[in-house]
Amino acid sequence: MNPESRLFIDGELCEASAGRVYPNLNPATEEVMGQVADATPEDMERAIAAARRAFDTTDWPTNHAFRLECLKQLKAGLLDGLEDFKAQIAAETGSPLGICGSGGPQCEVPISFMDFTIGELPNFQWSRDIGESEMMGMKSRRLVEKEAVGVVACVTPWNVPLQINLAKCVPALAAGCTVVLKPAPDTPWAATLLGRVVKECTDIPPGVFNVVTASDPREVGEQLVSDPRVDMVSFTGSTAVGKHIMATAAQTVKKVFLELGGKSANIMLDDADLSQSLLSALGVCFHAGQGCAIQTRLLIPRSRQAEVEELLKTYFTFIEYGDPSSDSQIMGALVNAKQRERVLAYIEKGKAEGARLLLGGGKPAQLEKGFYVEPTVFMDVTNDMTIAREEIFGPVLAVIAYDDEEDAIRIANDSDYGLSAGVWSADEARALSVARRLRSGTVCVNGGNFYAADAPFGGYKQSGVGREMGPEGFEEYLETKTIAVGV
Ligand code: NAP
Ligand code: MG
């Protein structure tokens, strides 16, 4: 691996001021893999100033054709380094190659998603003529124009870091914004690699794109999202931090775009073929449950509990984990020791509140290293228990019995979150009618998969504000201006 350890500020790859560095750890081995620049507030100050200057004084915001060329260069540069980037991301996220390989969301797939933006950009209607209006004898000819929002702070988490970095930075750059990317401390390389590729492979002008990695939780992140020169914050992370960022951004009325947590329900309607549909419950092991849209509440008909229990016991034996080099494993380690302790504390809470542990529940005895937690299933969960209400972000499934379809919909919607959901039924029309009643930004019917470059993704309720990906994910980074010309 040849990871980039430097910040990228104002067109230069640079050390942090005072030469500060911090270690990047591999969660699957607990080994330090290398050091990365640990930015100070002075570094962040330079990045914000550069982004502001680039937006205000270059033609980046208005030169659509140039931006398109730069995005093509960026994609080509990412593909050139693909094998190395894949290894870096697998190592720093602790996810096996089954997730980082060609079909998974960690590397290749999000790079290929750039084609959507590159393909849409030439056809985007930046200006539309809405014709004449007349008021009090005055005639006007009107134009509605789309323009870049300005300087965007992209603040991202560690679970699928390259995917989220790209899902924000690519549309922001395509729209003509300038960017300061502040990744999560645990996964710096998925951001620093972008600085290197932008520097070495693109004509993106100095200041347009900046990457600032830092170990210190809050300090430089807080500085970025509160700076008056920043016009918009695009954030993915926990709901608690999202609320704080929204409040901070309110001080200078920044635009905010928030992708937050989830507690998604997967509903097995009473006519579902459980032998097939219950395989979807294994999704809770995907990336050790570190995905905001993972369906962590399994809603089952009360009359079929025994059948569900037997199938889950069988199906969870299919989950193998602990070998990062495996391209068939989908479960890796949790990102750090603190996160593992947090997940284990939720498991204890589940037991204490009366849920019945069916499977797992602890650290795997067979693995000496790595922040792993066993695939864990709780039966007899009620929707008021902590493990049904709060996002655990670990491989923990809460199985909740319902009485009838109305009850299932009520339980699914009885959540502070509304990010994703699943519905299974032998009758597709019935499943669709249930899907339409769920207060959730995405719904998977009979195993459908919403995850694609052209499909908007985001949350209702406390799961967020706005949408990422698809045309909606591009338009988040645009302002609308109406020009009226007296005639
Ligand atoms: P987090 O603690 O909310 O942190 C996310 C990012 O925000 C990190 O870069 C963090 O950096 C930064 N940050 C924290 N406090 C900040 C502040 N006051 N001002 C500015 N930046 C701040 O989340 P996480 O633990 O990394 O990620 C897990 C969470 O993300 C889960 O809740 C998950 O559901 C959510 N998530 C949501 C989606 C989605 O699309 N909806 C996708 C993935 C993850 P520092 O640590 O340096 O502060
Ligand atoms: Mg790490």
Side-chain angles (χ1 to χ4, degrees), residues 21 57 63 98 102 120 169 172 179 259 281 297 382 401 409-410 418 421 428 440 481:
V21 292
T57 66
N63 195 339
S102 53
E120 292 285 297
C169 298
V179 170
E259 292 284 4
R297 289 184 298 154
T382 56
I409 294 168
R410 182 192 61 76
E428 189 184 293
S440 162
K481 177 181 284 174

Side-chain angles (χ1 to χ4, degrees), residues 25-31 90-91 93-95 322 324 332-335 369-372:
L25 213 68
N26 181 329
T29 63
E30 303 183 33
E31 280 160 13
T93 58
S95 38
L334 294 171
V335 75
K369 287 280 178 197
F371 306 119
Y372 291 94

